[in-house]
Amino acid sequence: MNADHSFPDSSIVDPKAGHSEPILDKSLNQRNRVQKHPFDPAIQQGVIKTDATTVKKQFPVTGMSCASCSVSVESILNAMPGIVQATVNFASSSVQVEYLPTVTQPKDLKLAVQSIGYDLLIGESESAKESFENLRREKLIELRKRSIWAIALSIPQVILGMFFMNLPYVNFILWGLATPVVLWLGRQFFVNAWKQARRRSANMDSLVSLSTGIAYLFSAFNTLDPAFWEKRGLAAHVYFEAASVVIAFILLGKLLEERAKANSSSAIKKLVGLQPKAVTVIQEGGHTLEIPTAEVKSGDLLLVKPGEKIPVDGTIRKGQSYVDESMISGEPVAVLKSKGDRVIAGTINQKGSFQFVAEKVGSDTLLAHIIQVVEQAQGSKAPVQKRVDQIAGIFVPIVMGIAGLSFAIWLVFGGTNGITQGLLALVTVLVIACPCALGLATPTAIMVGIGKGAESGILIKDAQSLELAHKINAVVLDKTGTLTEGSPTLTDFIWIVEPTPELKNIFYSLEQSSEHPLAGAVAAYLRPGAHLIPFTEMTIASGKGVQASFSGLTYFAGNKRLLSEENIGIPKETLRQAESWSQEAKTAIYFASNAQVLAIIAIADRVKSSSAEAIRTLDEMNISVYMLTGDSPQTAAAVACEVGIREYRAGVTGDDKAAFVQQLQKQGKTVAMVGDGINDSQALAQADVSIAMGKGTDIAIEVASITLMSADLSRIPEAIRLSRRTVATIRQNLFWAFFYNLVGIPIAAGLLYPINGFLLNPMIAGASMALSSVSVVSNSLRLKWARL
């Protein structure tokens, strides 16, 4: 293996040629929840200053019945001043809004949504969230009652219509049974349709109310005045049972759909359920008191007993136990926790008990951050959904036009039965059309996919990242903390000159000031007896090391590249020693002044047990794997050989990594950058998909689009497989939703009648429409049981 020719020379691309600042800005601004946007229309019109802070929040929406509704809510919100972006998720009945608080407020959004017949729940307290869940439960209970009654009243109508139409007053009996179904149990369709009609729009409720209303009124007229048609030589048919059965099927379909949608968001419910309701606080004097978790404050001393869930984030002060962190990290093996170790809210204590000090409480805990990220991700919109929304926005008016055209054609060319057949065609077309299937196809798959990832320790920031990850064909890996354990230890220390306390203090102070994990190992070794030096000037060179001035001299701690750039000569014997260490996969760190090398240290960072298997899996998935490291070529070659990476580069800086990612993108590759979320921020921001090795840290959640909550590298191919399966599910859903409507609507209009005399019954159309939405959601739910 040769690090210098494994792939194109990065010197072709200048990493500082106008790229560093935008990359850095993207990683620090675009990924934050509170951002600055100079491109809002209100800003461009001079309403407010350009340096305005925006807020991103998610609110539940009530009253939506189909994809057309979500398009209406989204349109009205995006048209408001001060709104940067509003995204409605029909599957989760929520809207994610980014707005300028200096221009608009949640109460203004609520009024706007109410003006078009829906409502926005803007309360952010726990009680407000519980109210929304109660509302959803009540809706399910109400739907179940209506469905049962509608089915119970429709069954005798079907029996009468099929076998007993010659009974006296049968039409009046049918009318009596159909009236409560249409006008009471199905009243929501008519009420919502009227609200839409008042603002000159239409949705699925418009289709249902028109179809069943026309059938009901036509049948009522024929029941009261059958002679009107008999004088013209026509039979006075009634379709009470059709109107009733259609409503019964649609109510049943809505019930099944709501249940399925609730299951698609089960990941959030599981995460919320991880935090216990109460906690034991140790007061002064050693007395214990049980209080609600919401009342815990930072600094409180808490007691966790065997089998209890840990309520907040903190550090153990006394005792030890094994803690199951699988619900956060996805790792099945419990972790031993003792004094000084960090514990995370939502994890489960096993047999021992311990006391710990609360540090992060409420919305600041890692669990709260994860819940917030998953909620926002499930509420976000995949790129493909935007195109589907455009279709859904015009779907209902087009269906109404087709229904009217079908009636007109039957009226003209249908002969003596033209009116009856035309009316049936009109009703059937309106009933069979299903914008819901289109609206649910993408968001349900996204919700289940992101929830599945969260349960497996793969935290996905948004739908776009989940959708894009299936295209990944190149993975760029950082070495330290990604392929290796990230817990380096000092193995060898050689002083080139006679060490003095001052030199030790200078070396300690240099390494203590660096954020690199390798520097931490050196600082830990030197810390006993050392103290910090007040440097007059200090510079951190990314990927190379650190330098500082003291007493008229400049001191350096870093790799060979740093010393070469400063023209500091390295003795041949020292170079041979460094090369010998490199063959053993150890990293050499030099300590020097601007005159000479003072010391050389060897650091060993063990390769993770999962790295080689993960690389092999990525190779099998036809994904190119690259390793970038600031280490020497020898150390890089040793690590690459151990894990099976064929292409790598050594001695690179953060700028070089970002430039290399850009090179791969110019070659047409979709690149995933995997790093620790801090040192690799430029490369992470440049990549198409950024993946951070989280190790349970909330800082990584902020930086990358995908965070692996554990240190296990096998989560990378799992995340890519999850994306592939989610995208495949979306495509299946969209295919069947479009296929169903493209085939079902023409058949309902009577397209097959001239060929084989077939006409679709409105009752069958109603069942098909209900089944289409349920099948789309059910197909998405299969992701929950998929093996990654």
Side-chain angles (χ1 to χ4, degrees):
M1 272 185 285
N2 190 314
D4 294 326
H5 67 264
S6 294
F7 34 170
D9 186 5
S10 62
S11 61
I12 296 172
V13 178
D14 179 6
K16 296 181 180 178
H19 295 292
S20 295
E21 286 302 317
I23 290 171
L24 191 59
D25 181 68
K26 180 181 176 184
S27 67
L28 297 180
N29 284 335
Q30 289 187 1
R31 303 200 186 280
N32 285 344
R33 287 188 295 274
V34 178
Q35 306 170 351
K36 293 187 177 180
H37 285 265
F39 306 113
D40 184 83
I43 298 173
Q44 293 176 346
Q45 295 166 13
V47 176
I48 53 177
K49 294 180 180 179
T50 57
D51 192 23
T53 300
T54 67
V55 176
K56 184 181 285 187
K57 290 185 179 179
Q58 190 162 324
F59 304 105
V61 183
T62 61
M64 295 193 300
S65 60
C66 70
S68 299
C69 302
S70 64
V71 172
S72 299
V73 174
E74 193 169 289
S75 300
I76 194 73
L77 288 175
N78 279 316
M80 292 182 65
I83 297 294
V84 177
Q85 186 179 32
T87 304
V88 175
N89 187 318
F90 173 54
S92 62
S93 299
S94 65
V95 59
Q96 197 172 101
V97 188
E98 188 173 355
Y99 64 93
L100 292 153
T102 54
V103 179
T104 191
Q105 291 293 320
K107 62 181 181 186
D108 302 319
L109 309 181
K110 182 180 178 74
L111 290 172
V113 173
Q114 286 178 334
S115 70
I116 57 172
Y118 309 101
D119 199 5
L120 203 66
L121 305 183
I122 59 175
E124 297 182 58
S125 63
E126 287 300 318
S127 60
K129 292 178 182 178
E130 287 181 10
S131 297
F132 178 61
E133 287 302 315
N134 291 336
L135 201 64
R136 295 187 77 163
R137 279 193 292 270
E138 289 172 7
K139 181 180 179 181
L140 274 173
I141 293 170
E142 181 68 16
L143 264 174
R144 185 167 62 247
K145 288 179 181 177
R146 291 189 176 199
S147 300
I148 292 171
W149 275 107
I151 292 169
L153 290 170
S154 296
I155 290 173
Q157 291 183 66
V158 173
I159 294 171
L160 287 172
M162 291 178 66
F163 305 109
F164 301 102
M165 280 304 295
N166 294 323
L167 284 178
Y169 305 107
V170 68
N171 285 356
F172 286 96
I173 297 171
L174 289 170
W175 190 4
L177 290 170
T179 297
V181 176
V182 176
L183 300 184
W184 178 249
L185 300 174
R187 69 186 184 281
Q188 66 191 63
F189 302 117
F190 296 92
V191 171
N192 293 338
W194 173 246
K195 289 178 181 177
Q196 294 298 315
R198 287 175 59 186
R199 53 182 300 269
R200 298 181 181 179
S201 66
N203 62 6
M204 195 198 79
D205 293 322
S206 307
L207 300 180
V208 175
S209 60
L210 273 174
S211 58
T212 56
I214 290 170
Y216 178 82
L217 292 174
F218 181 74
S219 301
F221 176 82
N222 289 356
T223 300
L224 293 173
D225 190 10
F228 179 85
W229 299 107
E230 291 168 357
K231 289 176 184 176
R232 292 163 174 77
L234 300 172
H237 295 291
V238 296
Y239 302 100
F240 288 121
E241 78 279 10
S244 186
V245 170
V246 163
I247 284 178
F249 273 131
I250 293 173
L251 286 173
L252 179 61
K254 280 288 179 187
L255 175 64
L256 298 175
E257 180 187 313
E258 287 297 324
R259 281 182 173 174
K261 280 162 64 177
N263 286 334
S264 69
S265 61
S266 61
I268 285 288
K269 294 174 184 175
K270 286 181 182 177
L271 287 170
V272 172
L274 290 177
Q275 191 173 52
K277 298 293 183 184
V279 61
T280 303
V281 178
I282 301 176
Q283 299 179 309
E284 291 184 16
H287 302 293
T288 59
L289 177 67
E290 191 171 279
I291 64 171
T293 302
E295 296 180 10
V296 176
K297 297 186 177 94
S298 180
D300 284 349
L301 184 61
L302 308 178
L303 173 65
V304 180
K305 301 172 186 176
E308 289 185 343
K309 293 177 182 176
I310 296 169
V312 296
D313 295 357
T315 302
I316 294 179
R317 176 179 289 183
K318 183 180 178 182
Q320 71 173 24
S321 179
Y322 280 91
V323 176
D324 178 4
E325 296 185 335
S326 60
M327 61 290 300
I328 299 294
S329 66
E331 296 284 357
V333 181
V335 182
L336 177 63
K337 299 286 184 177
S338 54
K339 183 178 179 180
D341 288 336
R342 184 186 178 207
V343 290
I344 303 169
T347 56
I348 302 173
N349 181 31
Q350 295 196 331
K351 294 183 179 179
S353 63
F354 57 85
Q355 299 173 12
F356 76 100
V357 179
E359 293 173 349
K360 292 183 178 180
V361 300
S363 61
D364 293 329
T365 65
L366 177 62
L367 177 61
H369 281 196
I370 293 172
I371 291 171
Q372 187 175 40
V373 168
V374 174
E375 281 181 337
Q376 290 186 352
Q378 288 187 332
S380 63
K381 187 168 290 188
V384 67
Q385 182 62 25
K386 295 174 183 176
R387 295 189 290 272
V388 175
D389 285 348
Q390 291 174 344
I391 297 171
I394 59 172
F395 182 86
V396 173
I398 288 175
V399 169
M400 288 181 171
I402 293 173
L405 182 63
S406 302
F407 179 75
I409 291 173
W410 275 104
L411 199 62
V412 174
F413 300 104
T416 56
N417 292 323
I419 293 177
T420 303
Q421 304 280 34
L423 187 68
L424 278 176
L426 181 147
V427 169
T428 308
V429 168
L430 292 174
V431 168
I432 202 170
C434 187
C436 293
L438 290 174
L440 291 167
T442 301
T444 51
I446 291 293
M447 287 176 68
V448 176
I450 287 173
K452 173 76 172 177
E455 292 173 5
S456 303
I458 303 167
L459 196 58
I460 302 166
K461 288 286 285 289
D462 51 49
Q464 184 172 355
S465 301
L466 180 62
E467 183 181 347
L468 185 60
H470 87 281
K471 297 180 180 179
I472 292 173
N473 51 20
V475 172
V476 178
L477 299 167
D478 176 44
K479 180 180 76 69
T480 305
T482 302
L483 285 166
T484 62
E485 295 286 357
S487 302
T489 54
L490 191 147
T491 60
D492 302 271
F493 196 133
I494 300 174
W495 281 100
I496 310 299
V497 300
E498 186 66 28
T500 64
E502 184 178 82
L503 284 178
K504 289 181 180 178
N505 290 333
I506 292 171
F507 195 10
Y508 168 70
S509 301
L510 281 170
E511 296 291 44
Q512 184 66 27
S513 63
S514 175
E515 295 180 353
H516 200 281
L518 298 183
V522 180
Y525 179 82
L526 294 169
R527 186 170 293 120
H531 64 268
L532 294 174
I533 293 291
F535 294 124
T536 55
E537 189 177 332
M538 178 176 288
T539 304
I540 295 176
S542 175
K544 290 177 284 188
V546 60
Q547 66 184 64
S549 299
F550 180 73
S551 297
L553 289 175
T554 303
Y555 292 90
F556 305 87
N559 56 22
K560 180 182 174 183
R561 182 174 176 180
L562 177 64
L563 271 61
S564 298
E565 290 180 359
E566 298 296 333
N567 297 316
I568 300 170
I570 304 174
K572 290 183 179 179
E573 183 62 32
T574 305
L575 277 176
R576 279 196 294 269
Q577 181 62 68
E579 289 173 2
S580 174
W581 286 339
S582 296
Q583 300 299 327
E584 301 171 19
K586 295 178 181 179
T587 301
I589 294 178
Y590 298 88
F591 173 46
S593 68
N594 48 5
Q596 62 178 325
V597 176
L598 304 173
I600 182 171
I601 304 96
I603 302 289
D605 189 7
R606 198 158 49 92
V607 172
K608 293 175 185 174
S609 58
S610 62
S611 293
E613 179 64 22
I615 301 305
R616 187 184 64 79
T617 304
L618 289 170
D619 283 339
E620 291 174 353
M621 295 169 70
N622 296 318
I623 296 172
S624 302
V625 183
Y626 308 86
M627 183 185 77
L628 302 182
T629 177
D631 255 332
S632 67
Q634 294 87 349
T635 303
V639 172
C641 182
E642 185 175 347
V643 300
I645 292 178
R646 293 180 293 275
E647 300 181 87
Y648 64 92
R649 170 154 294 188
V652 297
T653 65
D655 286 345
D656 295 334
K657 290 179 182 179
F660 180 73
V661 169
Q662 191 177 55
Q663 273 186 274
L664 293 177
Q665 290 170 327
K666 286 181 178 179
Q667 296 169 16
K669 293 183 181 293
T670 301
V671 184
M673 174 67 198
V674 186
D676 61 14
I678 304 171
N679 299 332
D680 304 303
S681 60
Q682 287 179 281
L684 285 167
Q686 178 64 44
D688 299 292
V689 178
S690 53
I691 303 175
M693 304 298 292
K695 303 176 197 173
T697 59
D698 51 5
I699 183 66
I701 298 174
E702 297 294 333
V703 175
S705 54
I706 297 177
T707 300
L708 309 181
M709 298 306 295
S710 74
D712 189 352
L713 217 62
S714 64
R715 293 283 187 270
I716 297 173
E718 285 182 11
I720 297 172
R721 280 196 293 262
L722 175 63
S723 173
R724 290 179 177 179
R725 290 182 180 177
T726 303
V727 170
T729 301
I730 290 172
R731 288 173 176 168
Q732 292 164 8
N733 288 348
L734 288 175
F735 171 79
W736 286 113
F738 279 108
F739 179 80
Y740 164 81
N741 283 293
L742 288 173
V743 172
I745 292 174
I747 292 175
L751 185 67
L752 296 179
Y753 186 79
I755 302 171
N756 56 15
F758 178 78
L759 281 175
L760 190 63
N761 189 300
M763 291 185 286
I764 303 300
S768 301
M769 193 275 276
L771 185 63
S772 65
S773 295
V774 176
S775 61
V776 162
V777 181
S778 300
N779 189 48
S780 296
L781 288 174
R782 290 192 308 116
L783 273 171
K784 292 177 69 173
W785 298 283
R787 293 188 63 183
L788 300 179

